[in-house]
Amino acid sequence: MRTFVVIGQTASASEDFSLDDLPGSSGRLDVLLRCLRAALLFSHGLRPDARVYLVLRGGPQAPRVLKVDGATCKFLRPDERSLATLVKKTLAAAAQARGGGFVELRPGLALAAGDLECVHVELGEAALYVLEPGAADIRTQDLAPGNQVFFVGDHAGFDEATRAELAALSARPLGVGPLSLHSDDVVALVSNELDRRADTAGSARS
Ligand SMILES: C[S@@+](CC[C@H](N)C(=O)[O-])C[C@H]1O[C@@H](n2cnc3c(N)ncnc32)[C@H](O)[C@@H]1O
């Protein structure tokens, strides 16, 4: 299982954003939605072995975490407006959400009131990686088998408190090249690397 945790420092945790001006009205939720697409969708398909947590730290309902599970999610479309509509409806449906962990509101979509701690309790045995420009190149690194979790920053990167929190969890820094890239491009590159490795492992077995 591959898991991406995207931390939106200003991304709206409430439904009061405009679909006609997503970047301007949602605290850059659009950045997180593109990550969601890159992590879960390929051409005409949904990855059943992928899961995404969007950490929403913006607005009056923050913090909240939206979990999207590729194994059980239905009708996920690749365009940003459709994804934004789905998230808007899900956030609205949970207007009164209070503590107590994730509540499934639609197939494969669950919401929790809280911050990264809601994610931690779900991770179980997993290798943790924090994606950072200039860190050890994923192409040259062995990744632990089994469950892998990748933490990704938004347009503003990670704040210091989050960096410290991830370091305390012993998340290993990992890079996808020398330039600072857009978050969704990083998710696409990591996904591609994992696909290639899975394919190579499959060919070696057959
Ligand atoms: C647009 S970048 C953040 C830029 C922000 N100005 C900063 O200095 O951190 C968004 C996120 O993508 C990931 N990222 C960007 N480039 C990367 C790279 N070359 N390797 C690994 N992760 C990268 C990081 O998680 C980063 O927080």
Side-chain angles (χ1 to χ4, degrees):
M1 165 73 78
R2 63 181 75 167
T3 299
F4 290 91
V5 183
V6 192
I7 300 173
Q9 297 202 48
T10 55
S12 179
S14 43
E15 72 280 14
D16 53 358
F17 54 82
S18 163
L19 294 174
D20 293 327
D21 180 17
L22 199 54
S25 67
S26 70
R28 299 308 310 272
L29 180 65
D30 57 307
V31 173
L32 279 67
L33 297 178
R34 288 193 288 276
C35 290
L36 180 64
R37 186 196 60 73
L40 291 189
L41 293 165
F42 59 94
S43 182
H44 301 300
L46 194 56
R47 297 173 191 278
D49 60 343
R51 192 171 50 163
V52 176
Y53 292 90
L54 302 182
V55 179
L56 308 171
R57 290 180 168 170
Q61 301 263 22
R64 279 171 150 185
V65 181
L66 182 68
K67 174 171 67 169
V68 190
D69 189 340
T72 51
C73 193
K74 290 186 173 34
F75 313 121
L76 206 62
R77 289 169 52 184
D79 65 284
E80 217 168 281
R81 192 178 176 96
S82 296
L83 292 174
T85 303
L86 187 63
V87 169
K88 194 175 175 62
K89 285 181 183 168
T90 307
L91 292 173
Q96 304 306 321
R98 298 265 180 281
F102 284 94
V103 177
E104 190 164 48
L105 296 162
R106 292 165 177 266
L109 263 86
L111 193 73
D115 205 287
L116 268 181
E117 74 281 355
C118 304
V119 180
H120 296 168
V121 297
E122 295 226 323
L123 295 182
E125 285 289 308
L128 308 185
Y129 301 96
V130 52
L131 292 160
E132 294 269 25
D137 192 331
I138 192 170
R139 286 193 181 172
T140 64
Q141 301 296 304
D142 286 332
L143 300 183
N147 296 330
Q148 296 152 342
V149 179
F150 301 91
F151 293 90
V152 189
D154 64 1
H155 59 293
F158 299 112
D159 63 1
E160 281 314 311
T162 303
R163 275 217 172 80
E165 195 173 344
L166 297 179
L169 290 170
S170 302
R172 196 173 122 199
L174 206 56
V176 293
L179 298 181
S180 179
L181 303 176
H182 291 300
S183 309
D184 56 319
D185 291 338
V186 174
V187 173
L189 287 167
V190 171
S191 300
N192 181 255
E193 181 67 25
L194 299 179
D195 291 345
R196 287 167 183 270
R197 291 184 188 206
D199 193 43
T200 307
S203 315
R205 276 197 301 275
S206 59

